[in-house]
Amino acid sequence: MVNNKEDRVFHAEDGIHTDFKEKMTYGDYLQLHTLLASQKRLSTHHDEMLFIIIHQVSELWLKLIIHEIQAAITAIQEGKLQASFKMLARVSKTQSQIIQAWDVLSTLTPAEYMEFRDSLGNASGFQSYQYRLVEFVLGYKTPYILKIYEKDPEVYQVLRNAYYAPGLYDVAIIALAKQGLTINPDILQRDYSKTYEKEVSVEKAWLTVYQNTNHYWELYQLAEKLVDIEDWFQQWRFRHMKTVERIIGFKSGTGGSSGVHYLKKVLDHYFFPELWEIRSKL
């Protein structure tokens, strides 16, 4: 009876297309055959499927985050701050999705993970080039990281380009200067391959923005979008650390890192330090 009712509803929709011999389908557009054939387990353990899918989905979200941040960088460089706000807001929403993925992965118990962990060899999320690219476009540059990707010339070149390019915070600081706020020329002409470190003139400029929000409304909005991104990023790092601790404790990672110890250390890093410092001075 249910099927008959469904059939009647279906046939009542006269406009539904059913002949796709010469047309593109939903599956064709999304290349679902390739996408859904990409979960290749290296063990026979049931839970390895979860492990693979969580990481693949996270990589897709990272791809969108990179796409939006790079577009926002271009928009800010062109003085189109309002356009950049939509992109940066989308980044924050996407980050919330990646954070929730840890809740799903945490259903994997230590005993279950140990059943297939050896199949990973030295493969590790530590080697995710998209995660490193997110760090680079946000301004956190670590030279030793590039060596990991020399095996793949195409990936290496993408990372190298981002390594020497201005990050999101760099173009935000340039936007401060363009609005007449005083920025140390050394900061405006700095070597972008170096990780940014907080600077007095930048802090004073942001403080001026926050004390005169009506006058610097767009810069104020930009600052809060950056704070949103950093806040979510730190929450992602924390959930990552706690999920790893929950599953493998304080063992070393498969990629050779110190695992939880390494993840705890990176929690102390700020991409946009002055935007946090000024909160104590307002």
Side-chain angles (χ1 to χ4, degrees):
M1 292 297 293
V2 173
N3 287 338
N4 289 338
K5 183 178 180 181
E6 289 178 349
D7 286 344
R8 288 197 299 272
V9 171
F10 183 81
H11 288 300
E13 295 288 333
D14 295 334
I16 292 178
H17 297 284
T18 57
D19 183 0
F20 286 94
K21 291 179 182 178
E22 303 296 331
K23 299 175 184 178
M24 178 178 68
T25 66
Y26 171 82
D28 295 333
Y29 176 67
L30 295 178
Q31 299 184 55
L32 288 183
H33 179 74
T34 300
L35 184 65
L36 298 179
S38 297
Q39 295 73 47
K40 302 183 187 302
R41 289 183 290 171
L42 298 180
S43 75
T44 57
H45 197 275
H46 172 84
D47 293 304
E48 190 182 354
M49 183 64 75
L50 161 70
F51 192 80
I52 292 171
I53 289 176
I54 285 292
H55 288 84
Q56 288 183 340
V57 169
S58 294
E59 288 293 333
L60 287 172
W61 283 130
L62 287 174
K63 183 172 184 177
L64 180 59
I65 287 172
I66 293 161
H67 176 72
E68 297 295 342
I69 292 177
Q70 288 180 329
I73 287 173
T74 299
I76 294 168
Q77 287 174 319
E78 294 174 352
K80 300 174 183 177
L81 297 189
Q82 288 293 333
S84 76
F85 299 156
K86 176 66 178 293
M87 301 160 190
L88 297 177
R90 184 173 290 160
V91 169
S92 295
K93 291 296 184 182
T94 306
Q95 288 174 295
S96 72
Q97 296 299 306
I98 295 183
I99 292 168
Q100 290 179 16
W102 295 120
D103 294 336
V104 182
L105 185 58
S106 66
T107 64
L108 180 69
T109 68
E112 290 163 347
Y113 182 49
M114 288 304 114
E115 291 290 325
F116 64 86
R117 189 184 191 224
D118 287 345
S119 301
L120 305 180
N122 294 127
S124 166
F126 184 85
Q127 298 144 15
S128 167
Y129 82 85
Q130 288 202 126
Y131 175 78
R132 298 304 172 185
L133 189 52
V134 169
E135 288 188 329
F136 284 5
V137 296
L138 291 178
Y140 184 52
K141 310 292 179 71
T142 43
Y144 68 89
I145 289 297
L146 287 175
K147 185 172 179 58
I148 297 172
Y149 307 99
E150 290 177 349
K151 173 183 177 181
D152 188 330
E154 185 177 348
V155 168
Y156 179 81
Q157 191 58 51
V158 168
L159 283 166
R160 194 173 185 279
N161 290 343
Y163 184 77
Y164 288 102
L168 180 60
Y169 198 45
D170 293 309
V171 297
I173 291 171
I174 292 170
L176 290 171
K178 286 180 178 178
Q179 290 294 317
L181 292 155
T182 302
I183 301 294
N184 183 343
D186 291 340
I187 296 298
L188 298 175
Q189 299 165 14
R190 77 183 196 87
D191 180 354
Y192 295 127
S193 69
K194 307 294 183 184
T195 296
Y196 177 82
E197 295 183 6
K198 63 181 179 181
E199 201 274 338
V200 174
S201 70
V202 175
E203 181 178 303
K204 289 181 178 178
W206 283 126
L207 192 57
T208 299
V209 168
Y210 273 76
Q211 290 172 334
N212 300 274
T213 56
N214 289 335
H215 185 70
Y216 296 108
W217 181 248
E218 284 196 335
L219 291 174
Y220 174 59
Q221 287 181 288
L222 175 59
E224 286 298 293
K225 290 290 186 289
L226 297 181
V227 170
D228 285 343
I229 288 172
E230 177 128 52
D231 191 349
W232 283 111
F233 201 95
Q234 290 294 70
Q235 291 185 52
W236 184 89
R237 280 173 163 169
F238 180 78
R239 290 294 296 123
H240 184 189
M241 181 268 291
K242 294 305 292 184
T243 303
V244 170
E245 183 179 359
R246 175 173 177 157
I247 296 174
I248 67 169
F250 289 86
K251 293 186 183 76
S252 296
T254 51
S257 74
S258 59
V260 170
H261 293 294
Y262 170 80
L263 296 172
K264 281 186 175 181
K265 283 190 292 186
V266 297
L267 280 172
D268 293 330
H269 174 260
Y270 285 91
F271 295 106
F272 320 127
E274 292 87 358
L275 291 176
W276 297 92
E277 292 281 342
I278 62 170
R279 278 158 162 72
S280 301
K281 300 178 180 180
L282 287 170

